Amino acid sequence: SRVHASRRVFEVIKAAGITTPVIHHIAFDSSAVRDEIVIKTGSWVGGLLVDGLGDGALIEAPHEDLDFLRTTSFGLLQGSRMRNTKTEY
């Protein structure tokens, strides 16, 4: 699965001593509805961020407005305790 593959990538990164920040990029096609974007992003990226695997998220959904994508990504960061308050972003 996507999550397990990502965990393996992070194992390789850690073993190699790489300290570069990692931003998770998740792309959706035009058929994805808002609920699908929120749920899939939370399940695919949220769990990794909660475990300390990654430093941020980039959600790509060209058919959605920027405010929705921004709110969703910052909500994900806040929910995974990557950010505590909205003033940090």
Side-chain angles (χ1 to χ4, degrees), residues 12-68:
V12 171
I13 289 171
K14 184 177 180 181
I18 298 170
T19 60
T20 305
V22 176
I23 306 298
H24 296 278
H25 177 221
I26 184 167
F28 294 93
D29 61 24
S30 59
S31 67
V33 295
R34 287 185 170 197
D35 287 344
E36 180 183 358
I37 292 169
V38 171
I39 292 169
K40 285 187 175 180
T41 301
S43 63
W44 290 344
V45 177
L48 296 168
L49 291 175
V50 166
D51 290 343
L53 303 175
D55 299 286
L58 168 64
I59 304 170
E60 182 181 343
H63 63 288
E64 288 294 343
D65 63 271
L66 184 59
D67 190 53
F68 168 74

